[in-house]
Structures are given as C-alpha cells and as structure tokens.
Amino acid sequence: LWGGVTAHAIGAWKIYEHSGDLAFLGEAYDFYRALMWTNTPGWWGHKYEAADCLGNMALELGYPQSEADHWQEMVKADNFDSWFNSMWEKNGVKHYFGAGNTNEFGWSTFAYLSMKNFPPDLARNMVETWAMDDVVGFNRQGQMGTKDLVWWQQLIEDGENTNFMITPDTYYIALKGMFASGVYDHALTLTLNHLKNYNFKPEWGIPCAPEAVSADYEFHGDAFSNFNAGKILLILEGIFGLSYSVVDNSFTVADNMPPEWSFMETYVPINEGGETRWTRVRVDREEQGGVVTKSVHVQGNTQTTLNIEPWMEGKTLQSATVGGETNTVSGHIDYQFSNQAGQSLQIQLTD
C-alpha cells in the first residue's frame, strides 16, 4: 500500500471540519476503512495524525469507541516516543531525523516536522543546522533544495540528473512542517524567498509556477505546474495562521505575519446549511521608535468560539489588550472569545 494515502485521510477530516458534510465523511471513512484497516503506512510520521482523524471519523459516524481505538493500536501510538528517539540523530547524524545513507541527505527529513508531537527545540535545531546552512546543508541562494549541497555537488560532477534541485511540492511539505513545529522565523524567510525567486521571473515580469529549478538555476519542465498549489496553504495557514471547524464551532487566526509587511487581509468563506458567509480578517503592523504595534481585526465570525493569537515575533511584550495569555511554546498571545461576531485587539512589542 502506497504511503501517500495516509495523508489523504488527514485531508478528508479537514474537509469535513470545513463542511460538516456527514455524507462525505461516511463515504470517505468507508474507503479508508477498507483500505487501511490492517495496514496504515507511516508516511513521514503522518500515520499518527491519520489514526487520530480516522478515530474521530468513526466516532462522528456513530461507531463504538473500540472502533476508534483500533486505529491507535494499528499505528502503535503508545510506541511513539520509542520510535521517535530511534529516528532522531539516527546513525549519528547530528540534528537530523531518520538518516539512512549518511552520505546522502534528502528534503523529506523536514516532512516529519508536521507531526504534532515534534519538540519545537529539536525542530529549530534541525532547521538551523540543515535548512538554513548554505555550505553542507540544503540552502541554495536563500531557497531550500531537495538534497544537501554535498550530494548535489557530487551529482553535478558525475553528470547525473540535476534538473530537480528545487521543487515546489517538496518545498510546501517541508515548510508546512516548519510552520507546524513553530520555527516561524525561518519558515517565513524560506517561504518569501521561494515566492519571490521561484514563482516570479524578472525577465518576464509576471508570476509563474515552474515544475522545478535545475542546478543552473533555470526553470525546468512545466511552467504552469499544479505542484505549486501548496504555496496557497503556506500563505493562508502558515503566514496568516487561519483555521476553522464547523464541527467544533471554532475560528482561529494565529498570524505569523512577516515583520517587513505592514498588513494582510483576507475574507474566509464558510458554508453552513447551504448558506455561505464571509469572515473578514485583517492584521496591521507598524513600528515607531523601536516599538512594534500589531492589531488584529475579525468581522463576520459565525462560529461560537473565536481564537485570536497574534505572533510576538520573538520580542518582549510591552502592552496588550486585556484577556490574553502568553503562550511560551508557540510564541503567540492567546485570546479566546465566545459568541462574538467581531473582535479587535492590539499588542505592542519591543526588542
């Protein structure tokens, strides 16, 4: 069984969270149940979240608790810590996850960062040691390559295929993990560098979506590749920090807006009962005299619980709208409101 189907189960649960469509959920669960009941592929550690999602599907559809428990048993969830420890710095490779061949390191190590239990401190060590390093790591002129630089140089010298030095799908998966594990500063740098240098061709003066960039930094393959679609989620879920669930009746904005931006704004369509309503979200940022002022505005919220979590950018909190709680793990300030269609708040930060 090919491993990619594991992550599809996670996506199916998200579709249900966004739609509340029980008919869809029933069809999806029947499919995954028949396919993965006796084998749930690991797929960069995604099997653990897939087990959570499949268990949630089962309970939502009226199956007994034993049905949900089966998925945890299938992936051996109680063995997670032992498995994780065996993969971290495997074969003696420092700050790397799941090293096999110690002479060849690939981008997929960063895919594991999407696991919800990946320790943030280890994630930062891995990103700073490998993704940001431009000598032996993965950094190619500000972007992240598919292989480490030593391996790439060997491929070039051996005359091997070097057409896929930077690719959009692997970039999305790796950056998704960096945002998920809280390495926001480096995730932002790599995302913006990619958007500016991969998805824009100065000579053409227009946005583009190439299949790959080769070792000579020229576009390769399809110039309109749908592999680039993941970048949309890096903006909406990574930079803007948007999420919502009509099942849990909640809407969240946990921004990671780049310090060089002055604002960002979007409208989120949420369909319930056949009616689409639009929730407006705007984040503003200004800096004067060494003080950063961030404001977050939400209008037209339809969910019972509204979570607003502005990012502190690694700075010191000087002042904030009352009611927030500093989250030292995520580096955000967490606010939660009930039955509020709209809400605005402000924080001030200093170095």
Side-chain angles (χ1 to χ4, degrees):
L1 182 62
W2 184 62
V5 70
T6 304
H8 290 183
I10 300 171
W13 177 250
K14 182 183 286 188
I15 290 173
Y16 175 65
E17 285 194 300
H18 286 182
S19 67
D21 188 337
L22 269 174
F24 163 79
L25 189 70
E27 291 182 19
Y29 186 69
D30 286 347
F31 173 78
Y32 296 122
R33 190 176 192 270
L35 191 65
M36 295 193 290
W37 185 256
T38 60
N39 179 23
T40 306
W43 201 245
W44 306 318
H46 284 65
K47 68 177 182 179
Y48 298 105
E49 185 178 359
D52 292 341
C53 292
L54 290 165
N56 289 338
M57 291 182 194
L59 296 177
E60 199 74 10
L61 292 166
Y63 284 89
Q65 183 63 47
S66 58
E67 175 92 5
D69 293 341
H70 167 81
W71 296 108
Q72 299 298 320
E73 296 165 1
M74 172 59 55
V75 300
K76 297 181 173 57
D78 57 357
N79 192 51
F80 176 83
D81 289 343
S82 177
W83 169 79
F84 185 95
N85 291 335
S86 72
M87 293 286 282
W88 179 248
E89 298 188 336
K90 183 179 178 181
N91 290 323
V93 182
K94 192 172 180 63
H95 298 159
Y96 194 90
F97 195 85
N101 186 335
T102 55
N103 294 315
E104 299 176 352
F105 304 115
W107 68 271
S108 60
T109 186
F110 301 104
Y112 288 97
L113 293 176
S114 288
M115 295 187 298
K116 64 181 181 181
N117 293 321
F118 206 108
D121 57 332
L122 299 187
R124 177 166 292 277
N125 288 342
M126 187 163 78
V127 171
E128 293 183 345
T129 300
W130 293 99
M132 306 308 292
D133 182 87
D134 61 0
V135 178
V136 297
F138 290 77
N139 201 286
R140 304 305 298 259
Q141 297 185 3
Q143 298 187 70
M144 201 183 75
T146 53
K147 300 176 177 65
D148 72 276
L149 291 169
V150 176
W151 188 6
W152 264 115
Q153 189 58 44
Q154 190 63 52
L155 290 173
I156 293 171
E157 293 174 0
D158 293 344
E160 300 289 341
N161 184 351
T162 58
N163 288 326
F164 297 91
M165 183 180 72
I166 302 172
T167 56
D169 49 345
T170 60
Y171 213 97
Y172 158 66
I173 295 171
L175 269 293
K176 172 178 175 285
M178 292 182 201
F179 277 114
S181 55
V183 193
Y184 306 118
D185 50 350
H186 296 314
L188 285 173
T189 296
L190 292 169
T191 298
L192 296 181
N193 285 346
H194 190 62
L195 291 171
K196 293 174 183 177
N197 299 299
Y198 188 97
N199 293 116
F200 187 79
K201 186 80 166 177
E203 301 94 299
W204 299 348
I206 58 172
C208 49
E211 182 179 348
V213 163
S214 59
D216 59 4
Y217 293 94
E218 293 297 327
F219 287 169
H220 171 76
D222 183 2
F224 308 96
S225 174
N226 197 45
F227 287 149
N228 287 269
K231 253 73 72 69
I232 299 171
L233 294 181
L234 290 182
I235 295 171
L236 293 176
E237 297 180 349
I239 296 177
F240 226 128
L242 297 172
S243 63
Y244 70 91
S245 171
V246 300
V247 178
D248 295 334
N249 226 322
S250 65
F251 184 94
T252 298
V253 51
D255 88 274
N256 300 300
M257 187 169 76
E260 57 265 49
W261 289 8
S262 60
F263 79 97
M264 57 185 181
E265 182 175 15
T266 190
Y267 290 78
V268 182
I270 299 178
N271 187 291
E272 289 186 88
E275 182 180 359
T276 299
R277 297 181 180 178
W278 295 79
T279 301
R280 173 181 178 263
V281 182
R282 181 180 172 105
V283 181
D284 289 280
R285 183 189 190 277
E286 62 178 0
E287 185 169 358
Q288 290 185 341
V291 178
V292 173
T293 301
K294 292 183 69 174
S295 303
V296 184
H297 310 277
V298 178
Q299 294 176 317
N301 171 54
T302 61
Q303 305 303 299
T304 300
T305 301
L306 172 62
N307 300 302
I308 303 179
E309 302 166 9
W311 182 40
M312 294 193 296
E313 304 177 9
K315 298 180 182 294
T316 299
L317 181 65
Q318 185 181 69
S319 65
T321 299
V322 297
E325 182 175 340
T326 301
N327 187 325
T328 57
V329 176
S330 71
H332 291 70
I333 303 177
D334 299 347
Y335 292 85
Q336 187 171 91
F337 306 95
S338 297
N339 300 306
Q340 296 289 314
Q343 193 63 243
S344 296
L345 58 85
Q346 184 181 92
I347 65 172
Q348 289 190 316
L349 309 167
T350 62
D351 290 325

